[in-house]
Amino acid sequence: MSAPRDQLISTLCRRRDQEALALIKEDPALIDEKVIRLALDHGCVKVIRYLRQENKITMEGKETRDLQRVNELNDKISRFNKDFADIEKYLK
C-alpha cells in the first residue's frame, strides 16, 4: 500500500475526521470500498457527508461492505477459536 493510503486508513481508524477529509479532498483516488467502510464503521461524519455528496456511498456497495464485515468477523472468531484451543492444551 502507498503511504497516503496507509495514512488515510490509520486516520479513519483513529476517528480523525478532519484529517481524513483533508486527505480525501487532496487525492480523491484514495476512495475505495475499504475507505468507505472504515468511514462508516468508525463514524467519521464529515467524511461520510463528503462521500455522500460525491455519490460514493451507494446501496449497491452496501452488500459488499456487509459481506466484508462478516468475513472479518469470521476471521476474528477463527483466530479466537485457535488461540483458545492452544490455551486449552496447556491447561490439560
Side-chain angles (χ1 to χ4, degrees):
M1 281 201 270
S2 63
R5 181 166 166 72
D6 290 338
Q7 184 180 3
L8 176 59
I9 289 170
S10 174
T11 304
L12 288 169
C13 289
R14 290 181 311 200
R15 296 181 180 164
R16 294 196 170 160
D17 206 13
Q18 195 68 28
E19 290 176 38
L21 182 58
L23 290 169
I24 289 172
K25 285 185 175 181
E26 183 178 306
D27 187 3
L30 295 173
I31 299 170
D32 64 1
E33 284 298 317
K34 183 173 184 175
V35 169
I36 293 169
R37 186 176 49 81
L38 287 173
L40 290 167
D41 289 351
H42 293 289
C44 298
V45 178
K46 292 178 183 177
V47 173
I48 293 168
R49 188 178 305 132
Y50 175 79
L51 293 172
R52 283 196 176 132
Q53 288 172 351
E54 298 295 314
N55 292 321
K56 299 292 184 181
I57 298 177
T58 62
M59 288 306 290
E60 292 84 27
K62 184 180 185 322
E63 186 174 316
T64 304
R65 291 188 298 272
D66 288 344
L67 181 60
Q68 288 174 339
R69 287 181 186 110
V70 168
N71 288 338
E72 286 178 5
L73 181 60
N74 285 336
D75 290 344
K76 288 178 183 177
I77 291 170
S78 294
R79 282 192 306 269
F80 173 80
N81 287 338
K82 182 186 175 304
D83 291 345
F84 193 74
D86 290 344
I87 291 169
E88 283 183 325
K89 288 179 191 176
Y90 292 112
L91 295 176
K92 290 182 180 183

